Amino acid sequence: TLRTGRFRYLIHDDGREQFYDLESDPAQYDNVVANPNYANELAWHRHMMLQRLLQIERPRQRIWPY
């Protein structure tokens, strides 16, 4: 799950996606993943989710201060 100020993006193990506009739908009933009006925001959230997953898989090497 990736949550930003206005949106929440989820991707399941089987590849299903959910994308909610929390400003217009705070209860998260309307999945807008197929709505073309949200295409740019969805693409950005997919990119951010991929970055987060890559960071988890390859954590940065720790540099100890001593």
Side-chain angles (χ1 to χ4, degrees):
T1 299
L2 177 67
R3 183 173 176 163
T4 57
R6 180 177 171 183
F7 297 100
R8 183 172 181 215
Y9 174 70
L10 300 92
I11 186 164
H12 299 273
D13 291 337
D14 60 3
R16 288 181 298 123
E17 294 177 297
Q18 292 176 293
F19 191 55
Y20 299 103
D21 183 346
L22 300 175
E23 189 174 284
S24 65
D25 180 26
Q28 301 175 31
Y29 291 120
D30 186 24
N31 184 4
V32 296
V33 76
N35 187 331
N37 295 330
Y38 291 94
N40 289 336
E41 285 293 336
L42 179 59
W44 185 83
H45 281 78
R46 284 174 175 158
H47 175 77
M48 294 306 294
M49 179 66 86
L50 181 59
Q51 281 188 336
R52 178 179 282 180
L53 292 173
L54 288 173
Q55 184 179 11
I56 291 169
E57 287 293 319
R58 294 181 290 165
R60 294 183 182 169
Q61 184 179 10
R62 287 195 179 190
I63 299 173
W64 299 99
Y66 54 91

